[in-house]
Every structure is written in structure tokens, then in C-alpha cells.
């Protein structure tokens, strides 16, 4: 059984509400000299030099690890015994392995059929997380056994072999021992060759209290009393397939489980906290549907008889290690909201995809990590669309992944999808929206360019050729090229090896019965029109549709030059023409004014498909943000969405209005933009009402929560009054709020509430049995506006009441809640930096914390302040995030200076003569 893993698109989604990022080579493209001076004056234009790094020597390598670990769940230590069958390929008197936070007691090497040679020295290179074992005589070529006895700590850093706190049904606090090894933390649990290309088999044994559950990648083959202590048992697991160290996993704790068999006969189990087995049923159902889907899609069977998914309370999410976290797995039919169900489906789809793409075939080195994550982040949607077609999940992909990746990738401080990785400290930085979301987006574009049939054929060739081996990005391109006959490597190298993406400018001319289109491409930049000295180019698959059939491409072309003319045959003068059908191509489009004018009625009368309405609005918003068009033009377009029925289109609109609201919180006309929000959202709010209607589904529930939350936050009178009434009934137990309404109601009453409201919310948090409900409350606490209450929420964030990984969303919520909250959160981070940094260290959570807390600032000097703070308080794994945040602060400041007056004038004119609805 492979414990089934979590890289939640989480990192991506949770995290990539804005992402953690990379301290890799900075490709700083030229920009206008004034902008470059500004960046240089803040020191933002050059990343620090990369640390020197060498991979492990190839003279000794493992064949099999026989590993026995004995965790102490009271003292938080563990003892370990390793016997590794190893191959000496080149005579040597030392063995170099990875090792971190582990003390080796004894080490020896016994050549096959010869005497044991005891190591005479252990030289720890702590910075490089290596240990060199020195031997008094030369180890000759051949096989032998390396034995190491060692001790380590069950840390509280959510990486390596760590302790996870949970509360028993009777209220007692206990600890489980769990693992999180990806990318480079297996070395914290046992000395090993901790590189993805150095694969071996594993025989795992765990010595654990007899009343605890012990799990590892494989099934249990033996369980017997431990001779030295009658309260312990030794649990032995079957030998694993050949695999990388980062895929090893083990868990010791108290769990219930539910199980079923997939139609292919694979035994699927979901382990849950004691007493919550019922809450594992939805994830079980998804997993049982997903395994056969992938088997059929790849035409490669799942390689093992069994798979386990497990809910862990303390898990830093966002990386694949074969364990799923509690909030991404447990669904309570009564108390879980629709978005949680969808989230579980996506996470299970993502993690099970890794059983083929990552585990069966593994990247050769972390440079190719994007392939694991980008691919799983794409196919999870394909899988959920198969299991739950009613979710309209591909439209949601555009809002959740595609646009988010474009936002990040338009910055000077972005990075290519493929990044040369050396030192392990750099790996955490590429678990970001580029690896996940841009990776997924370009694979979606590639799939569309190749066609499903040839794509599946190429995938099968790739997985069959490299199963149980390691591969690089080029190997996948070769397989897909062989299957499709198209120039895959040439096309994809323009998307993976250079950062950024193009802006396609298009203008049209009617020539008799045909439409002549003139296309040109330039790099799209968040700071405005690209004026670099070099001319990055992309090979862009472009689809073109017309109003004759809005859902079908009239023409498909590959734009492989800077400029191109295209003739569309038989297009009448009154028909619109649109690029990027389905918003699949990873580029932004700027239409000539006449082309744009002809597309806008398609928003109001809904003749444009939802995903195209979303893409059009999002492109315009980004062009305004970059100063290429006026923000007022976008506000006018937003008003055309008055008849919009689609949840995802509203979600993207809401997100962009949220960005604009945050920007305008730095002005004295913040209330006017709130009036605009109320005007845009109140018609749909009235149509939806508060209570579900017969025949409504998943998307209606999501839309209702979104709209009521938006109206409530903006202070819409009727929404506020109803939210207060329902909240009172909920607290008094008269009428419990449905799960889908809790977030919008909690947010509304807190935003417009007082200390009593906050106290009630904190009480609800304490009483909540479900982690989902605790998280729901934590995410909205920052909405409170009173300074003393904001301080109370920030103090609460670091209290024992909040799990370490959730502290970030509480502080981030405060920063995103109001202008005062932003300042208070930044001060709180500076005042508590040591504790926060020690808690999260190199993981992506420190990047997420920084991003959520400072990115909303819009004053030039704040970029300098943020930069100066992190120069004196280094956070190496967040280097690029800090660069990106400073860049975004400068971009916000420029946007505000450029457009604030015209936005204000427009909002005042609207007030004087409101537009017809």
C-alpha cells in the first residue's frame, strides 16, 4: 500500500493565494530606465548568488534500506537502526550520505563475505546536510552491508519525522509521529542518499506502543511483541518497490478507518482521527473512482494491491509525501461546505495522480519538479471533471490556477518553469504557483494543441518506458512528439525555459466576405508595455472563434513569429471575433477598440461562453493594472456582468474587485468603491436569496456564499441585518446555519461587530469539533476593524488554540481585512519574527506569511522598509517572495498614482447619475 500523498494544490491554492517562490537565477529583463532605477535603488534587481552545491558522490549507492525506528511519543525522540545493502562502485575509504539533525552512534561496513570495518570518524557538514563516514581501510568495489545506529528528535517543525498534536475524544492531548519528506527531509529521519535519482527498495519496521496504529508505504507482514518492553510491538512492513527516499512514509498514532475496493480490486482505506471514520467516506468514494480513471487514462495499472489515505492534524501541506492532511480529507455531511467537498476531490485527484506521475516515474532531479506538480495539478481537474461533471471544474481552473499563475509570471521577479536547482534550500522555493499553476496551465494548453487521443498515447509511451526509473522534462516531450508528430519540444521550450508569457495584440479589418487579423506578440509585464532590448518570443497555439459558433474554433494556428496576418474566411461584418477560445492559451489578449466593442454585448447577453467572459474581464483587469488601459474602462465592463449566472465568473470578478478595494483602502474614497461593489452584486444577491431553492446544485451553493459574503463585507444594509439575525439564531441554537452560509455570515457580523461578536466567535472556535469549522472561523477573524480587537486576534494567532500551520491564515486575514489590519499585522510579524521564523524555518509557510502580510501595501517607502527588515532578518527560502512583494508594492503605488483620480471621478459621476440596470 502506498500511503497516498499531499501536495495539495494546496501549496498552490492555499499557499498560492499567493505563492512561495525561488532564489534562483533572476532573469531581469530590461525595462524603462526610470523603473529600473527604482528597482535598483531598492536593491530589488538582483538575487543573491546561489550557494555552491555538489550532489552526492556516485562511488557508493544503496540497493536496499532495512530500517527500524523506535519513536518515543513522550520524550519526542527516536532511535534508529539502519542496515543498507550497498554497492561500492569505486574503491574509497569514505561514504558520503545526507544526514540532518541526527546523531550517529556507530557505523560500520561489511563487504560481502568479509569482516566488518568500523567507521573511525563522522564528519557532519551541517550546512550541506551531509555526513562523511571515514573508514580505516579502503572499501573495495562490490556489494556489502552498511550498518548505522543513530538517534534523532521528533521535531515540531512539520518536516522529517515529526510530532503531530491531537486531542482524544475524552479531551486528552496526545502526539502522533508522522513524516513529511518531500523534498529533502528523509535525511532528518535516517541517514540516506536523499536524492530522487538514487532509488532503492525499503524494508521498514516500527517499534511502537501496542495500542497505536502503525502505517508505512506497504502492507504489514508481521506484528510481534517487542522483547525489551511488553507495552511495545514491532511492526514489519513488506518490501517496497524501487523508489526515491522522499516517497518513504510512516505514521504512528490513533486512527479509525473506512475501506472499500476499487472496480480494479485495489483495497482503498481512509484513516481518520478516532470517532471520525464517517467523515472519511467522501474521500474514499473519490479515491475509489479515481484509481480506475487513471488506470484507463494512462493505460498503466496501479502497481500495488492497496492504497491508504490518512488525515494528519499538523501538516505543512503543499508537498507530496504520501500523506493527506485532515482538512483536505474529512467531510462531515452536515457541517462541511460545498467548497470543502470540491477541495477534497481535487486534492485526492492530485495526490493519486502522483502514484503514476512522480512515484512510478520520478524526476531525475528537482529541476524537473514542475513536471510532477504541474502535471498532477492539471490532471486533478480532468479527474474531478470525470467524477463530478456538475462542478464545471475547468472554468474554475482558469480562476484558481491560470490567472493566478499569470499574475505572478508577469513580475520581473518571476522565474522560468524549469529552474536549475542545486542546494536543497532552493527546492522549497520552487513549490510555488509557477511549478504548480503555470505548469498545469501550459500542460492544459499542450493537451489542447496535441488532442486527447495523441496525448494519452504519448503519456502511455512515457510511463511505460520510464517506470520505476527517473526521467527529465525532455523525455516527456520526446514521447509526446513521437505520438503526435508535432514539434512539442520546440514549442514547449519557449514556455518552460524562459519566464513570462506573451501579450497578443490583435486588430481586424473586413476584406469583402473575410476578416483579416493582424497579430503581434510581446512579453506581458506587470509594470506596463515591454521595452526590453531583447525580444523574447513564444510559439503560441492560438484558437480563434466567432459569434457564428462561440464554442467552436473556426481556426487554429501556431504563432511562431513576432507578427502574423491571418485571414478568417466567410465572417460577416456584424460578427465578433475572439482569440483564445476557452481561455486555454497561456497568454493575454489586447483587442483593438472596435474588436473589444463588438465583444462586450456577448457579456451582457451571455452569448460568450462563461470561461471566455471570465478571460476577457481578467485580461482587461490585468491590462489596467499594468497601466496599458484605464481602470475606469474595466469598471464599465464589470457593470456589464449584471445578468451573469456563473459562479466562477463571479468569483474572478469578486477577486479583482477585492484587489481594487485593497488598493483604494489607501485613499479617502474607499467607501465609494464599496458602493460600486454593492451595486454590482446586489441584483444577483436578490435573485439568489438566502435559502437554497429546489433543483439547485453545488455551484449555486458556492455562488450564494460568495455573493452574500461580498455584500455583507461591503456593508449592504439588508444583507447585514439578515446576517445578524441568522447569526443570533445560530449561536442560540434555534436555527443552525448551513455550512455554506457560515463563512459569509461570520465575516459580515465580525466586520461590522464589536468585542462581544469577537468573543462569541472565539467561543465557537473553542467549541468546534471539526477542524474545517475552526479553519473557517480563523480565516474571517481578521475582518474585525477595531484596533484593540485586531491586536486580540493577532495574539490569538500565536496561541495554543491555533495549529501552527493555521497561524499564517489568521495573520494573513488580519492583513487583508483593513488598512489598519495591514499595518498591525506587519508590526506583529516584525515583533514576533524570531518565534515565527523558528516555527516555519525553510518551509513554504514562511513565504506565504510574508506574502499575505505585506503585499497589500501601496506606498513606495514600504517596499524599502520590507526589504530592509529582511536584510537584517534573512529568510533564505523566501528570498524571491520578498522580491516579488516589494515589486508588487511598487506596482500598487504606481497604479494608485496613475488611476486614483480618474477612478474617484468615475465613482462620483455614477453616484450622481446611476447607470440603468
Amino acid at each position: 500500500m502506498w500511503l497516498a500523498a499531499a501536495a495539495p494544490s494546496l501549496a498552490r491554492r492555499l499557499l498560492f493565494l499567493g505563492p512561495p517562490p525561488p532564489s534562483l537565477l533572476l532573469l531581469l529583463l530590461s525595462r524603462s530606465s526610470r523603473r529600473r532605477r527604482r528597482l535598483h535603488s531598492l536593491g530589488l534587481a538582483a538575487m543573491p548568488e546561489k550557494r555552491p552545491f555538489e550532489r552526492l558522490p556516485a562511488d557508493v549507492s544503496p540497493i536496499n534500506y532495512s530500517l527500524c525506528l523506535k519513536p518515543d511519543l513522550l520524550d519526542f525522540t527516536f532511535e534508529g537502526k539502519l542496515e543498507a545493502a550497498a554497492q561500492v562502485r569505486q574503491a574509497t575509504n569514505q561514504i558520503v550520505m545526507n544526514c540532518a539533525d541526527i546523531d550517529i552512534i556507530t557505523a560500520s561496513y561489511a563487504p560481502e563475505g568479509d569482516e566488518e570495518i568500523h567507521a573511525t570518524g563522522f564528519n557532519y557538514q551541517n550546512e550541506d546536510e551531509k555526513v562523511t563516514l571515514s573508514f580505516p581501510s579502503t572499501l573495495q568495489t562490490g556489494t556489502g552491508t552498511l550498518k548505522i545506529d543513530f538517534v534523532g528528535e521528533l521535531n515540531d517543525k512539520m518536516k522529517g519525522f515529526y510530532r503531530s498534536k491531537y486531542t482524544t475524544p475524552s479531551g486528552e492531548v496526545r502526539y502522533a509521529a508522522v513524516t513529511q519528506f518531500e523534498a529533502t527531509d528523509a535525511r532528518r529521519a535516517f541517514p540516506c542518499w536523499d536524492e530522487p535519482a538514487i532509488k532503492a527498495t525499503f524494508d521498514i519496521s516500527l517499534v511502537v506502543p501496542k495500542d497505536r496504529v502503525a502505517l508505512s508505504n506497504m502492507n504489514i507482514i508481521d506484528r510481534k511483541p517487542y522483547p525489551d518492553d511488553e507495552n511495545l510491538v514491532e511492526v514489519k512492513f513488506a518490501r517496497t518497490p524501487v523508489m526515491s527516499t522522499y516517497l518513504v512514509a510512516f505514521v504512528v498514532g490513533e486512527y479509525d478507518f473506512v475501506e472499500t475496493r476499487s472496480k480494479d480490486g485495489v483495497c482503498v482505506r481512509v484513516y481518520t482521527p478516532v470517532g471520525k471514520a464517517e467523515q472519511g467516506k467522501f474521500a474514499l468514494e473519490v479515491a475509489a473512482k479515481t484509481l480506475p480513471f487513471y488506470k484507463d487514462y494512462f493505460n498503466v495499472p496501479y502497481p500495488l494491491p492497496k492504497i491508504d489515505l490518512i488525515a494528519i492534524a499538523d501538516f505543512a501541506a503543499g508537498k507530496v509525501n504520501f500523506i493527506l492532511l485532515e482538512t483536505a480529507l474529512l467531510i462531515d455531511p452536515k457541517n462541511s461546505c460545498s467548497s470543502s467537498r470540491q477541495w477534497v476531490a481535487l486534492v485526492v485527484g492530485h495526490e493519486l495522480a502522483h502514484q503514476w506521475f512522480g512515484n512510478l516515474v520520478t524526476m531525475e532531479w528537482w529541476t524537473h519538479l514542475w513536471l510532477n506538480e504541474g502535471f498532477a495539478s492539471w490532471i486533478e481537474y480532468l479527474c474531478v471533471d470525470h467524477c463530478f461533471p456538475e462542478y464545471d471544474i475547468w472554468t474554475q481552473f482558469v480562476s484558481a490556477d491560470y490567472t493566478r499563475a499569470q499574475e505572478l509570471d508577469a513580475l520581473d521577479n518571476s522565474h522560468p518553469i524549469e529552474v536549475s536547482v542545486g542546494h536543497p534550500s532552493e527546492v522549497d522555493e520552487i513549490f510555488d504557483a509557477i511549478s504548480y499553476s503555470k505548469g498545469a496551465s501550459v500542460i492544459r494548453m499542450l493537451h489542447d494543441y496535441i488532442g486527447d487521443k495523441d496525448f494519452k498515447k504519448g503519456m502511455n509511451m512515457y510511463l511505460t518506458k520510464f517506470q520505476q526509473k527517473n526521467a527529465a522534462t525532455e523525455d516527456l516531450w520526446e514521447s509526446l512528439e513521437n505520438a503526435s508528430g508535432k514539434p512539442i519540444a520546440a514549442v514547449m521550450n519557449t514556455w518552460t525555459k524562459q519566464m513570462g508569457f506573451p501579450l497578443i495584440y490583435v486588430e481586424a479589418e473586413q476584406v469583402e466576405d473575410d476578416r483579416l487579423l493582424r497579430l503581434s506578440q510581446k512579453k506581458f509585464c506587470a509594470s506596463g508595455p515591454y521595452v526590453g532590448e531583447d525580444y523574447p518570443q513564444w510559439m503560441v497555439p492560438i484558437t480563434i472563434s466567432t459569434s457564428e459558433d462561440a464554442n467552436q474554433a473556426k481556426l487554429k494556428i501556431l504563432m511562431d513569429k513576432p507578427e502574423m496576418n491571418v485571414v478568417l474566411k466567410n465572417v460577416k461584418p456584424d460578427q465578433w471575433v475572439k482569440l483564445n477560445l476557452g481561455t486555454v492559451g497561456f497568454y493575454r489578449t489586447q483587442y483593438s477598440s472596435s474588436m473589444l466593442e463588438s465583444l462586450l454585448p456577448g457579456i451582457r447577453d451571455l452569448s460568450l461562453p462563461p470561461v471566455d467572459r471570465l478571460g476577457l474581464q481578467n485580461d482587461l483587469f490585468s491590462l489596467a493594472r499594468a497601466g496599458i488601459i484605464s481602470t475606469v474602462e474595466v469598471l464599465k465592463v464589470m457593470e456589464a456582468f449584471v445578468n451573469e449566472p456563473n459562479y466562477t465568473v463571479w468569483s474572478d470578478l469578486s477577486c479583482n474587485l477585492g484587489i481594487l478595494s485593497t488598493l483604494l483602502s489607501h485613499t479617502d474614497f474607499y467607501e465609494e468603491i464599496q458602493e460600486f461593489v454593492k451595486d454590482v452584486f446586489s441584483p444577483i444577491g436578490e435573485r439568489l436569496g438566502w435559502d437554497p431553492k429546489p433543483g439547485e446544485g453545488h455551484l449555486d451553493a458556492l455562488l450564494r456564499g460568495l455573493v452574500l459574503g461580498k455584500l455583507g463585507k461591503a456593508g449592504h444594509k439588508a444583507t447585514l441585518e439578515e446576517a445578524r439575525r441568522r447569526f443570533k439564531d445560530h449561536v442560540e441554537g434555534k436555527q443552525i446555519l448551513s455550512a455554506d452560509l457560515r463563512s459569509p455570515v461570520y465575516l459580515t457580523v465580525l466586520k461590522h461587530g464589536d468585542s462581544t461578536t469577537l468573543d462569541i466567535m472565539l467561543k465557537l472556535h473553542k467549541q468546534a469539533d471539526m477542524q474545517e469549522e475552526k479553519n473557517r472561523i480563523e480565516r474571517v477573524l481578521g475582518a474585525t476593524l477595531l484596533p484593540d480587537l485586531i491586536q486580540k486576534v493577532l495574539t490569538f494567532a500565536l496561541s495554543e488554540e491555533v495549529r501552527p500551520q493555521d497561524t499564517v491564515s489568521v495573520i494573513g486575514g488580519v492583513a487583508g481585512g483593513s488598512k489598519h489590519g495591514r499595518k498591525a499585522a506587519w508590526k506583529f510579524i516584525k515583533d514576533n519574527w524570531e518565534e515565527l521564523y523558528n516555527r516555519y524555518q525553510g518551509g513554504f509557510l514562511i513565504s506565504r506569511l510574508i506574502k499575505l502580510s505585506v503585499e497589500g501595501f501601496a506606498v513606495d517607502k514600504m517596499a524599502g522598509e520590507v526589504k530592509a527588515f529582511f536584510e537584517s532578518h534573512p529568510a533564505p527560502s523566501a528570498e524571491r517572495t520578498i522580491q516579488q512583494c516589494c515589486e508588487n508594492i511598487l506596482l500598487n503605488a504606481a497604479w494608485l498614482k496613475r488611476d486614483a483620480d480618474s477612478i474617484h471621478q468615475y465613482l462620483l459621476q455614477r453616484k450622481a447619475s446611476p447607470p440603468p440596470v
Side-chain angles (χ1 to χ4, degrees), residues 603-623:
I603 292 176
R604 202 174 269 274
D605 67 16
L606 309 179
S607 58
L608 272 171
V611 70
D612 290 288
R613 299 194 296 268
L614 188 161
L616 192 58
Q617 178 268 136
N618 198 283
D619 277 352
L620 289 169
F621 186 78
S622 295
L623 289 168

Side-chain angles (χ1 to χ4, degrees), residues 741-757:
L741 286 179
R742 286 183 204 171
S743 282
V745 167
Y746 292 169
L747 177 74
T748 302
V749 298
L750 265 171
K751 173 93 189 251
H752 306 282
D754 54 17
S755 60
T756 308
T757 320

Side-chain angles (χ1 to χ4, degrees), residues 367-368 370 415-420 473-474 477 493 496-497:
T367 298
H368 306 284
W370 84 270
H415 65 88
I417 284 179
E418 276 191 71
V419 173
S420 175
T473 303
E474 293 72 26
W477 296 164
N493 284 344
T496 67
K497 292 186 184 296

